[in-house]
Short mmCIF file of all heavy atoms in Angstrom, two decimals:
data_model
loop_
_atom_site.label_atom_id
_atom_site.label_comp_id
_atom_site.label_asym_id
_atom_site.label_seq_id
_atom_site.Cartn_x
_atom_site.Cartn_y
_atom_site.Cartn_z
N MET A 159 110.37 79.67 99.55
CA MET A 159 109.43 80.84 99.22
C MET A 159 109.46 81.14 97.73
O MET A 159 110.54 80.98 97.16
CB MET A 159 109.87 82.03 100.00
CG MET A 159 108.93 83.31 99.91
SD MET A 159 109.39 84.46 101.18
CE MET A 159 108.10 85.48 100.86
N SER A 160 108.39 81.58 97.19
CA SER A 160 108.42 81.90 95.79
C SER A 160 109.11 83.17 95.42
O SER A 160 109.38 84.01 96.44
CB SER A 160 107.00 81.97 95.30
OG SER A 160 106.30 83.08 95.98
N THR A 161 109.30 83.49 94.26
CA THR A 161 110.08 84.74 93.82
C THR A 161 109.15 85.89 94.10
O THR A 161 107.89 85.71 93.99
CB THR A 161 110.51 84.65 92.40
OG1 THR A 161 109.37 84.54 91.55
CG2 THR A 161 111.41 83.59 92.19
N ASN A 162 109.70 87.05 94.35
CA ASN A 162 108.95 88.19 94.54
C ASN A 162 108.45 88.86 93.21
O ASN A 162 109.27 89.32 92.41
CB ASN A 162 109.84 89.18 95.23
CG ASN A 162 109.01 90.45 95.71
OD1 ASN A 162 108.12 90.87 95.10
ND2 ASN A 162 109.57 91.06 96.84
N PRO A 163 107.14 88.91 92.95
CA PRO A 163 106.66 89.45 91.68
C PRO A 163 106.81 90.98 91.47
O PRO A 163 106.75 91.49 90.42
CB PRO A 163 105.12 89.03 91.69
CG PRO A 163 104.82 89.06 93.14
CD PRO A 163 106.06 88.44 93.80
N PHE A 164 107.11 91.60 92.62
CA PHE A 164 107.26 93.08 92.52
C PHE A 164 108.67 93.59 92.13
O PHE A 164 108.79 94.70 91.86
CB PHE A 164 106.83 93.74 93.81
CG PHE A 164 105.46 93.31 94.33
CD1 PHE A 164 105.16 92.39 95.40
CD2 PHE A 164 104.32 93.74 93.58
CE1 PHE A 164 103.94 92.13 95.78
CE2 PHE A 164 102.98 93.34 93.90
CZ PHE A 164 102.89 92.53 95.02
N LEU A 165 109.66 92.71 92.18
CA LEU A 165 110.97 93.04 91.86
C LEU A 165 111.17 93.42 90.49
O LEU A 165 112.19 94.16 90.13
CB LEU A 165 111.98 91.92 92.29
CG LEU A 165 112.16 91.64 93.73
CD1 LEU A 165 112.97 90.45 94.02
CD2 LEU A 165 112.91 92.96 94.35
N SER A 166 110.33 92.91 89.55
CA SER A 166 110.51 93.28 88.14
C SER A 166 109.85 94.63 87.80
O SER A 166 110.03 95.08 86.63
CB SER A 166 109.94 92.09 87.28
OG SER A 166 108.58 92.07 87.47
N LEU A 167 109.20 95.17 88.69
CA LEU A 167 108.50 96.49 88.38
C LEU A 167 109.47 97.63 88.41
O LEU A 167 110.54 97.57 88.99
CB LEU A 167 107.39 96.70 89.32
CG LEU A 167 106.21 95.73 89.36
CD1 LEU A 167 105.31 96.00 90.52
CD2 LEU A 167 105.49 95.68 88.02
N SER A 168 109.18 98.73 87.77
CA SER A 168 110.01 99.89 87.85
C SER A 168 110.03 100.52 89.29
O SER A 168 109.10 100.29 90.05
CB SER A 168 109.44 101.00 86.87
OG SER A 168 108.15 101.49 87.45
N PRO A 169 111.02 101.34 89.53
CA PRO A 169 111.08 101.91 90.86
C PRO A 169 109.81 102.73 91.19
O PRO A 169 109.30 102.79 92.24
CB PRO A 169 112.35 102.74 90.82
CG PRO A 169 113.16 102.01 89.81
CD PRO A 169 112.29 101.45 88.82
N ALA A 170 109.36 103.48 90.21
CA ALA A 170 108.18 104.22 90.42
C ALA A 170 106.93 103.41 90.81
O ALA A 170 106.23 103.74 91.69
CB ALA A 170 107.88 105.16 89.21
N ALA A 171 106.70 102.38 90.03
CA ALA A 171 105.60 101.40 90.40
C ALA A 171 105.69 100.82 91.82
O ALA A 171 104.83 100.72 92.56
CB ALA A 171 105.58 100.32 89.34
N VAL A 172 106.99 100.39 92.12
CA VAL A 172 107.21 99.86 93.50
C VAL A 172 106.87 101.03 94.55
O VAL A 172 106.30 100.69 95.61
CB VAL A 172 108.62 99.36 93.71
CG1 VAL A 172 108.92 98.87 95.11
CG2 VAL A 172 108.76 98.13 92.67
N ASP A 173 107.33 102.16 94.27
CA ASP A 173 107.18 103.26 95.25
C ASP A 173 105.68 103.53 95.46
O ASP A 173 105.18 103.71 96.48
CB ASP A 173 107.88 104.55 94.60
CG ASP A 173 108.11 105.50 95.89
OD1 ASP A 173 108.35 105.17 96.99
OD2 ASP A 173 108.31 106.72 95.56
N VAL A 174 104.90 103.54 94.32
CA VAL A 174 103.45 103.72 94.44
C VAL A 174 102.79 102.58 95.24
O VAL A 174 101.97 102.75 96.08
CB VAL A 174 102.82 103.76 93.05
CG1 VAL A 174 101.32 103.63 93.19
CG2 VAL A 174 103.24 105.06 92.42
N LEU A 175 103.15 101.32 95.05
CA LEU A 175 102.64 100.13 95.70
C LEU A 175 103.06 100.33 97.21
O LEU A 175 102.14 100.01 98.06
CB LEU A 175 103.20 98.82 95.09
CG LEU A 175 102.65 98.34 93.83
CD1 LEU A 175 103.37 97.19 93.36
CD2 LEU A 175 101.07 98.04 94.13
N ASP A 176 104.20 100.72 97.52
CA ASP A 176 104.53 100.95 98.94
C ASP A 176 103.68 101.87 99.60
O ASP A 176 103.21 101.58 100.73
CB ASP A 176 106.08 101.36 98.97
CG ASP A 176 106.48 101.53 100.37
OD1 ASP A 176 106.59 100.50 101.09
OD2 ASP A 176 106.77 102.62 100.82
N ASP A 177 103.29 102.87 98.95
CA ASP A 177 102.34 103.92 99.45
C ASP A 177 100.97 103.30 99.70
O ASP A 177 100.38 103.47 100.83
CB ASP A 177 102.31 105.20 98.57
CG ASP A 177 103.50 106.09 98.58
OD1 ASP A 177 104.33 105.95 99.49
OD2 ASP A 177 103.58 106.84 97.63
N MET A 178 100.63 102.54 98.72
CA MET A 178 99.27 101.99 98.84
C MET A 178 99.11 100.92 100.00
O MET A 178 98.18 100.96 100.65
CB MET A 178 98.84 101.34 97.52
CG MET A 178 98.73 102.34 96.34
SD MET A 178 98.61 101.62 94.72
CE MET A 178 96.98 100.85 94.77
N VAL A 179 100.17 100.11 99.96
CA VAL A 179 100.27 99.01 101.04
C VAL A 179 100.27 99.68 102.46
O VAL A 179 99.53 99.24 103.37
CB VAL A 179 101.48 98.07 100.82
CG1 VAL A 179 101.69 97.26 102.06
CG2 VAL A 179 101.25 97.23 99.70
N GLU A 180 101.04 100.76 102.62
CA GLU A 180 101.11 101.40 103.89
C GLU A 180 99.74 101.99 104.27
O GLU A 180 99.42 101.88 105.52
CB GLU A 180 102.18 102.52 103.93
CG GLU A 180 103.61 102.09 103.95
CD GLU A 180 103.86 101.13 105.19
OE1 GLU A 180 103.40 101.46 106.31
OE2 GLU A 180 104.51 100.05 105.01
N GLU A 181 98.99 102.43 103.33
CA GLU A 181 97.72 102.97 103.71
C GLU A 181 96.69 101.90 104.19
O GLU A 181 95.94 101.99 105.12
CB GLU A 181 97.06 103.73 102.45
CG GLU A 181 95.73 104.34 102.71
CD GLU A 181 95.21 105.13 101.50
OE1 GLU A 181 96.09 105.63 100.69
OE2 GLU A 181 94.08 105.22 101.30
N TRP A 182 96.80 100.75 103.51
CA TRP A 182 95.96 99.57 103.82
C TRP A 182 96.42 98.98 105.18
O TRP A 182 95.67 98.55 106.01
CB TRP A 182 95.98 98.56 102.75
CG TRP A 182 94.96 98.87 101.64
CD1 TRP A 182 95.26 99.77 100.65
CD2 TRP A 182 93.61 98.45 101.61
NE1 TRP A 182 94.10 99.89 99.93
CE2 TRP A 182 93.02 99.11 100.50
CE3 TRP A 182 92.83 97.71 102.38
CZ2 TRP A 182 91.76 99.01 100.06
CZ3 TRP A 182 91.55 97.52 101.95
CH2 TRP A 182 90.97 98.10 100.92
N LEU A 183 97.72 98.99 105.37
CA LEU A 183 98.19 98.53 106.75
C LEU A 183 97.74 99.43 107.81
O LEU A 183 97.35 98.93 109.01
CB LEU A 183 99.73 98.39 106.74
CG LEU A 183 100.25 97.19 105.93
CD1 LEU A 183 101.91 97.35 105.93
CD2 LEU A 183 99.92 95.88 106.47
N ASP A 184 97.73 100.68 107.62
CA ASP A 184 97.15 101.68 108.59
C ASP A 184 95.72 101.42 108.80
O ASP A 184 95.25 101.46 109.99
CB ASP A 184 97.33 103.06 108.03
CG ASP A 184 97.02 104.07 109.11
OD1 ASP A 184 97.55 103.92 110.34
OD2 ASP A 184 96.30 105.03 108.96
N LYS A 185 94.96 101.15 107.75
CA LYS A 185 93.47 100.72 107.94
C LYS A 185 93.38 99.53 108.75
O LYS A 185 92.46 99.42 109.60
CB LYS A 185 92.84 100.55 106.55
CG LYS A 185 92.60 101.78 105.74
CD LYS A 185 91.96 101.43 104.41
CE LYS A 185 91.91 102.60 103.50
NZ LYS A 185 90.78 103.50 103.86
N ASP A 186 94.29 98.56 108.44
CA ASP A 186 94.22 97.25 109.30
C ASP A 186 94.44 97.57 110.74
O ASP A 186 93.84 97.02 111.68
CB ASP A 186 95.17 96.31 108.63
CG ASP A 186 95.10 94.92 109.29
OD1 ASP A 186 93.89 94.46 109.48
OD2 ASP A 186 96.18 94.21 109.48
N ARG A 187 95.47 98.39 111.04
CA ARG A 187 95.82 98.69 112.44
C ARG A 187 94.65 99.29 113.19
O ARG A 187 94.52 99.18 114.38
CB ARG A 187 97.03 99.62 112.44
CG ARG A 187 98.34 98.98 112.22
CD ARG A 187 99.49 99.93 112.57
NE ARG A 187 99.70 100.93 111.54
CZ ARG A 187 100.37 100.82 110.49
NH1 ARG A 187 100.96 99.59 110.16
NH2 ARG A 187 100.48 101.79 109.47
N HIS A 188 93.89 100.04 112.47
CA HIS A 188 92.68 100.77 113.10
C HIS A 188 91.41 99.95 112.96
O HIS A 188 90.27 100.49 113.34
CB HIS A 188 92.46 102.18 112.42
CG HIS A 188 93.60 103.05 112.63
ND1 HIS A 188 93.75 103.70 113.81
CD2 HIS A 188 94.69 103.56 111.87
CE1 HIS A 188 94.88 104.49 113.81
NE2 HIS A 188 95.34 104.51 112.54
N GLY A 189 91.59 98.79 112.53
CA GLY A 189 90.34 97.81 112.50
C GLY A 189 89.39 98.05 111.39
O GLY A 189 88.32 97.52 111.30
N GLU A 190 89.69 98.99 110.50
CA GLU A 190 88.75 99.33 109.38
C GLU A 190 88.60 98.19 108.37
O GLU A 190 87.57 97.98 107.75
CB GLU A 190 89.31 100.59 108.65
CG GLU A 190 89.18 101.78 109.52
CD GLU A 190 89.84 102.96 108.73
OE1 GLU A 190 89.64 103.08 107.54
OE2 GLU A 190 90.64 103.74 109.39
N LEU A 191 89.64 97.38 108.10
CA LEU A 191 89.54 96.38 107.20
C LEU A 191 88.52 95.19 107.57
O LEU A 191 87.80 94.73 106.76
CB LEU A 191 90.90 95.71 106.84
CG LEU A 191 91.89 96.58 106.12
CD1 LEU A 191 93.12 95.90 105.79
CD2 LEU A 191 91.31 97.21 104.85
N ASN A 192 88.58 94.90 108.89
CA ASN A 192 87.53 93.90 109.36
C ASN A 192 86.21 94.45 109.32
O ASN A 192 85.24 93.65 109.03
CB ASN A 192 88.01 93.50 110.82
CG ASN A 192 89.16 92.68 110.88
OD1 ASN A 192 89.61 92.04 109.87
ND2 ASN A 192 89.87 92.72 111.99
N GLY A 193 85.96 95.61 109.59
CA GLY A 193 84.68 96.15 109.65
C GLY A 193 84.09 96.64 108.37
O GLY A 193 83.06 96.14 107.80
N CYS A 194 84.78 97.51 107.69
CA CYS A 194 84.30 98.18 106.42
C CYS A 194 84.56 97.30 105.22
O CYS A 194 83.74 97.41 104.26
CB CYS A 194 84.95 99.55 106.19
SG CYS A 194 84.65 100.68 107.61
N TYR A 195 85.59 96.55 105.15
CA TYR A 195 85.93 95.79 104.04
C TYR A 195 85.71 94.32 104.04
O TYR A 195 85.96 93.53 103.19
CB TYR A 195 87.41 96.00 103.57
CG TYR A 195 87.61 97.59 103.22
CD1 TYR A 195 87.91 98.48 104.14
CD2 TYR A 195 87.47 97.88 101.90
CE1 TYR A 195 88.19 99.83 103.81
CE2 TYR A 195 87.64 99.27 101.49
CZ TYR A 195 87.98 100.20 102.51
OH TYR A 195 88.21 101.47 102.13
N GLY A 196 85.30 93.80 105.21
CA GLY A 196 84.98 92.40 105.42
C GLY A 196 86.22 91.54 105.38
O GLY A 196 86.11 90.37 105.07
N TYR A 197 87.38 92.00 105.86
CA TYR A 197 88.52 91.20 105.93
C TYR A 197 88.58 90.30 107.06
O TYR A 197 88.14 90.64 108.14
CB TYR A 197 89.82 92.20 106.05
CG TYR A 197 90.44 92.51 104.70
CD1 TYR A 197 89.60 93.08 103.65
CD2 TYR A 197 91.77 92.48 104.44
CE1 TYR A 197 90.12 93.45 102.56
CE2 TYR A 197 92.26 92.90 103.29
CZ TYR A 197 91.49 93.38 102.29
OH TYR A 197 92.03 93.74 101.12
N GLY A 198 89.00 89.05 106.83
CA GLY A 198 89.08 88.10 107.86
C GLY A 198 90.60 87.67 107.82
O GLY A 198 91.50 88.27 107.32
N PRO A 199 90.92 86.64 108.67
CA PRO A 199 92.30 86.16 108.77
C PRO A 199 93.01 85.86 107.45
O PRO A 199 94.28 86.16 107.31
CB PRO A 199 92.23 84.91 109.63
CG PRO A 199 90.83 84.76 110.06
CD PRO A 199 89.97 85.74 109.32
N LYS A 200 92.31 85.26 106.50
CA LYS A 200 93.04 84.94 105.22
C LYS A 200 93.48 86.15 104.42
O LYS A 200 94.56 86.28 103.92
CB LYS A 200 92.16 83.98 104.32
CG LYS A 200 91.98 82.57 104.93
CD LYS A 200 91.06 81.79 103.99
CE LYS A 200 90.91 80.38 104.61
NZ LYS A 200 90.06 79.56 103.88
N ARG A 201 92.56 87.07 104.36
CA ARG A 201 92.83 88.37 103.63
C ARG A 201 93.89 89.16 104.35
O ARG A 201 94.83 89.76 103.77
CB ARG A 201 91.57 89.13 103.39
CG ARG A 201 90.66 88.50 102.35
CD ARG A 201 89.40 89.19 102.28
NE ARG A 201 89.26 89.90 100.96
CZ ARG A 201 88.36 90.74 100.63
NH1 ARG A 201 87.43 91.12 101.57
NH2 ARG A 201 88.38 91.22 99.41
N SER A 202 93.84 89.19 105.68
CA SER A 202 94.85 89.86 106.50
C SER A 202 96.17 89.20 106.33
O SER A 202 97.20 89.94 106.22
CB SER A 202 94.40 89.96 107.97
OG SER A 202 93.32 90.73 108.17
N ASP A 203 96.32 87.97 106.34
CA ASP A 203 97.58 87.26 106.02
C ASP A 203 98.08 87.51 104.66
O ASP A 203 99.24 87.74 104.48
CB ASP A 203 97.43 85.76 106.21
CG ASP A 203 97.19 85.34 107.75
OD1 ASP A 203 97.46 86.05 108.61
OD2 ASP A 203 96.80 84.11 107.91
N ALA A 204 97.17 87.55 103.68
CA ALA A 204 97.61 87.97 102.29
C ALA A 204 98.13 89.33 102.29
O ALA A 204 99.20 89.61 101.64
CB ALA A 204 96.42 87.71 101.28
N LEU A 205 97.50 90.36 102.94
CA LEU A 205 97.98 91.65 102.97
C LEU A 205 99.42 91.75 103.62
O LEU A 205 100.21 92.39 103.11
CB LEU A 205 97.05 92.53 103.71
CG LEU A 205 97.41 94.05 103.94
CD1 LEU A 205 97.68 94.71 102.64
CD2 LEU A 205 96.48 94.82 104.78
N SER A 206 99.59 90.98 104.58
CA SER A 206 100.91 90.94 105.27
C SER A 206 101.99 90.43 104.38
O SER A 206 103.11 90.81 104.35
CB SER A 206 100.89 90.06 106.51
OG SER A 206 100.07 90.68 107.59
N LEU A 207 101.65 89.34 103.60
CA LEU A 207 102.57 88.76 102.70
C LEU A 207 102.87 89.82 101.49
O LEU A 207 104.12 90.00 101.20
CB LEU A 207 101.99 87.45 102.03
CG LEU A 207 102.82 86.87 100.75
CD1 LEU A 207 104.23 86.46 101.22
CD2 LEU A 207 102.02 85.77 100.22
N ILE A 208 101.87 90.39 101.06
CA ILE A 208 102.08 91.51 99.97
C ILE A 208 102.96 92.61 100.52
O ILE A 208 103.87 93.04 99.84
CB ILE A 208 100.68 91.96 99.50
CG1 ILE A 208 99.98 90.87 98.65
CG2 ILE A 208 100.87 93.25 98.65
CD1 ILE A 208 98.63 91.16 98.36
N ALA A 209 102.67 93.04 101.68
CA ALA A 209 103.46 94.05 102.29
C ALA A 209 104.94 93.69 102.46
O ALA A 209 105.80 94.52 102.11
CB ALA A 209 102.81 94.37 103.72
N ASP A 210 105.17 92.46 102.89
CA ASP A 210 106.57 92.04 103.00
C ASP A 210 107.23 92.03 101.70
O ASP A 210 108.47 92.46 101.55
CB ASP A 210 106.67 90.60 103.62
CG ASP A 210 106.24 90.49 105.08
OD1 ASP A 210 106.27 91.63 105.73
OD2 ASP A 210 106.00 89.47 105.65
N GLN A 211 106.51 91.58 100.63
CA GLN A 211 107.22 91.53 99.29
C GLN A 211 107.35 92.97 98.66
O GLN A 211 108.43 93.09 98.00
CB GLN A 211 106.32 90.65 98.38
CG GLN A 211 106.36 89.17 98.69
CD GLN A 211 105.44 88.30 97.82
OE1 GLN A 211 104.49 88.83 97.32
NE2 GLN A 211 105.85 87.16 97.66
N VAL A 212 106.44 93.85 98.94
CA VAL A 212 106.59 95.23 98.44
C VAL A 212 107.74 95.88 99.19
O VAL A 212 108.52 96.57 98.64
CB VAL A 212 105.23 95.93 98.58
CG1 VAL A 212 105.50 97.42 98.38
CG2 VAL A 212 104.31 95.45 97.66
N ARG A 213 107.92 95.63 100.49
CA ARG A 213 108.97 96.14 101.17
C ARG A 213 110.28 95.79 100.76
O ARG A 213 111.26 96.55 100.56
CB ARG A 213 108.85 95.84 102.78
CG ARG A 213 107.97 96.77 103.50
CD ARG A 213 108.12 96.60 105.02
NE ARG A 213 106.75 96.93 105.62
CZ ARG A 213 105.99 96.03 106.10
NH1 ARG A 213 106.20 94.72 106.07
NH2 ARG A 213 104.78 96.33 106.60
N GLU A 214 110.43 94.40 100.47
CA GLU A 214 111.59 93.88 99.89
C GLU A 214 111.94 94.55 98.52
O GLU A 214 113.14 94.92 98.20
CB GLU A 214 111.47 92.39 99.72
CG GLU A 214 112.67 91.73 99.03
CD GLU A 214 112.41 90.31 98.75
OE1 GLU A 214 111.36 89.77 98.99
OE2 GLU A 214 113.39 89.62 98.13
N ALA A 215 110.92 94.66 97.68
CA ALA A 215 111.12 95.32 96.44
C ALA A 215 111.44 96.77 96.56
O ALA A 215 112.31 97.26 95.75
CB ALA A 215 109.86 95.11 95.52
N TRP A 216 110.81 97.39 97.45
CA TRP A 216 111.11 98.82 97.69
C TRP A 216 112.60 99.08 98.06
O TRP A 216 113.35 99.89 97.57
CB TRP A 216 110.25 99.43 98.76
CG TRP A 216 110.33 100.93 98.98
CD1 TRP A 216 109.70 101.84 98.24
CD2 TRP A 216 111.19 101.56 99.80
NE1 TRP A 216 110.06 103.14 98.62
CE2 TRP A 216 111.09 102.99 99.62
CE3 TRP A 216 112.15 101.14 100.75
CZ2 TRP A 216 111.71 103.89 100.27
CZ3 TRP A 216 112.90 102.11 101.41
CH2 TRP A 216 112.67 103.41 101.22
N LYS A 217 113.05 98.17 98.97
CA LYS A 217 114.47 98.17 99.43
C LYS A 217 115.45 98.01 98.25
O LYS A 217 116.51 98.70 98.19
CB LYS A 217 114.82 97.28 100.52
CG LYS A 217 114.16 97.65 101.89
CD LYS A 217 114.38 96.65 102.90
CE LYS A 217 113.70 97.00 104.26
NZ LYS A 217 113.76 96.03 105.23
N ALA A 218 115.00 97.14 97.30
CA ALA A 218 115.98 96.71 96.27
C ALA A 218 115.86 97.80 95.08
O ALA A 218 116.86 98.04 94.42
CB ALA A 218 115.56 95.36 95.72
N ARG A 219 114.64 98.30 94.83
CA ARG A 219 114.40 99.19 93.62
C ARG A 219 114.32 100.67 93.92
O ARG A 219 114.61 101.45 93.00
CB ARG A 219 113.12 98.73 92.98
CG ARG A 219 113.00 97.29 92.63
CD ARG A 219 113.90 96.96 91.40
NE ARG A 219 113.22 97.47 90.24
CZ ARG A 219 113.95 97.90 89.15
NH1 ARG A 219 115.22 97.87 89.11
NH2 ARG A 219 113.34 98.44 88.14
N VAL A 220 113.93 101.09 95.15
CA VAL A 220 113.81 102.47 95.36
C VAL A 220 114.78 102.96 96.50
O VAL A 220 115.63 103.79 96.23
CB VAL A 220 112.31 102.79 95.80
CG1 VAL A 220 112.16 104.28 96.17
CG2 VAL A 220 111.27 102.34 94.79
N ASN A 221 114.64 102.43 97.75
CA ASN A 221 115.44 102.75 98.93
C ASN A 221 115.73 104.22 99.04
O ASN A 221 116.88 104.70 99.01
CB ASN A 221 116.71 101.90 98.83
CG ASN A 221 117.29 101.69 100.14
OD1 ASN A 221 116.68 101.91 101.16
ND2 ASN A 221 118.59 101.45 100.16
N TYR A 222 114.74 105.01 99.13
CA TYR A 222 114.82 106.42 99.31
C TYR A 222 115.26 107.36 98.18
O TYR A 222 115.42 108.54 98.27
CB TYR A 222 115.65 106.81 100.63
CG TYR A 222 115.07 106.24 101.90
CD1 TYR A 222 115.72 105.06 102.40
CD2 TYR A 222 114.04 106.77 102.50
CE1 TYR A 222 115.28 104.50 103.57
CE2 TYR A 222 113.59 106.24 103.66
CZ TYR A 222 114.11 105.11 104.15
OH TYR A 222 113.62 104.52 105.31
N ARG A 223 115.41 106.67 97.02
CA ARG A 223 115.75 107.49 95.76
C ARG A 223 114.48 108.30 95.36
O ARG A 223 113.38 107.84 95.57
CB ARG A 223 116.24 106.64 94.70
CG ARG A 223 117.47 105.94 94.83
CD ARG A 223 117.86 105.31 93.59
NE ARG A 223 116.70 104.54 93.01
CZ ARG A 223 116.83 103.61 92.03
NH1 ARG A 223 117.87 103.36 91.49
NH2 ARG A 223 115.75 103.08 91.60
N ASP A 224 114.67 109.43 94.76
CA ASP A 224 113.67 110.19 94.12
C ASP A 224 113.30 109.54 92.77
O ASP A 224 113.99 109.83 91.82
CB ASP A 224 113.91 111.69 94.02
CG ASP A 224 112.75 112.48 93.50
OD1 ASP A 224 111.76 111.92 93.11
OD2 ASP A 224 112.89 113.76 93.61
N VAL A 225 112.26 108.76 92.66
CA VAL A 225 111.90 108.07 91.43
C VAL A 225 111.50 109.04 90.30
O VAL A 225 111.55 108.64 89.13
CB VAL A 225 110.87 106.98 91.59
CG1 VAL A 225 111.37 105.93 92.61
CG2 VAL A 225 109.50 107.55 92.15
N GLU A 226 111.17 110.22 90.70
CA GLU A 226 110.76 111.27 89.71
C GLU A 226 112.01 111.80 88.99
O GLU A 226 111.87 112.23 87.85
CB GLU A 226 109.99 112.46 90.34
CG GLU A 226 108.65 112.06 90.87
CD GLU A 226 107.65 111.68 89.81
OE1 GLU A 226 107.75 112.11 88.62
OE2 GLU A 226 106.75 110.95 90.11
N LYS A 227 113.11 111.74 89.68
CA LYS A 227 114.32 112.26 89.04
C LYS A 227 115.30 111.09 88.57
O LYS A 227 116.31 111.36 87.90
CB LYS A 227 115.12 113.02 90.08
CG LYS A 227 114.50 114.33 90.52
CD LYS A 227 115.22 115.11 91.46
CE LYS A 227 114.47 116.37 91.89
NZ LYS A 227 115.17 117.05 93.03
N ASP A 228 114.80 109.81 88.73
CA ASP A 228 115.67 108.78 88.43
C ASP A 228 115.68 108.58 86.81
O ASP A 228 114.58 108.54 86.23
CB ASP A 228 115.05 107.42 89.03
CG ASP A 228 116.02 106.27 88.89
OD1 ASP A 228 117.07 106.47 88.33
OD2 ASP A 228 115.52 105.16 89.23
N GLU A 229 116.81 108.56 86.19
CA GLU A 229 116.92 108.52 84.83
C GLU A 229 117.08 107.04 84.30
O GLU A 229 117.15 106.76 83.11
CB GLU A 229 117.98 109.39 84.27
CG GLU A 229 117.79 110.86 84.57
CD GLU A 229 118.85 111.80 84.12
OE1 GLU A 229 119.55 111.34 83.23
OE2 GLU A 229 118.83 112.91 84.49
N ASP A 230 117.19 106.01 85.20
CA ASP A 230 117.45 104.76 84.84
C ASP A 230 116.27 103.94 84.34
O ASP A 230 116.36 103.09 83.53
CB ASP A 230 117.96 103.95 86.03
CG ASP A 230 119.37 104.38 86.55
OD1 ASP A 230 120.04 105.00 85.75
OD2 ASP A 230 119.68 104.01 87.70
N GLU A 231 115.04 104.42 84.73
CA GLU A 231 113.80 103.79 84.32
C GLU A 231 112.99 104.66 83.50
O GLU A 231 112.69 105.74 83.67
CB GLU A 231 113.11 103.17 85.51
CG GLU A 231 113.94 102.32 86.48
CD GLU A 231 114.21 100.95 85.87
OE1 GLU A 231 113.26 100.46 85.17
OE2 GLU A 231 115.18 100.33 86.21
#
């Protein structure tokens, strides 16, 4: 597997991406991506891969920390 491109981002950036991916996964669960956005199997698989990588980066970079109060980044 290739390296995770999201691991090099700041905790705040990873936290934002995590929120965005969760919103799109919710749309996928409700069938909105196939209907409104024209997603098919390739785009759905790509979303799943991105979600896995963002989750991995979130666990490594954020993991429930308050990124607004984090002084490291």
Side-chain angles (χ1 to χ4, degrees):
M159 185 171 187
S160 63
T161 61
N162 186 331
F164 304 111
L165 287 171
S166 64
L167 298 175
S168 72
V172 171
D173 204 27
V174 169
L175 282 172
D176 182 64
D177 290 342
M178 294 169 70
V179 166
E180 284 303 317
E181 186 174 328
W182 279 82
L183 289 173
D184 190 50
K185 289 178 185 284
D186 190 38
R187 282 189 288 275
H188 294 288
E190 293 176 42
L191 293 183
N192 288 336
C194 299
Y195 294 92
Y197 271 48
K200 289 180 183 179
R201 289 174 112 187
S202 292
D203 289 347
L205 176 60
S206 294
L207 173 63
I208 290 167
D210 290 344
Q211 290 178 332
V212 168
R213 276 189 211 108
E214 177 188 0
W216 187 89
K217 288 177 184 175
R219 305 286 288 148
V220 181
N221 204 20
Y222 298 103
R223 290 186 319 191
D224 184 349
V225 296
E226 293 295 332
K227 295 180 181 178
D228 190 7
E229 295 179 17
D230 293 342
E231 304 286 330

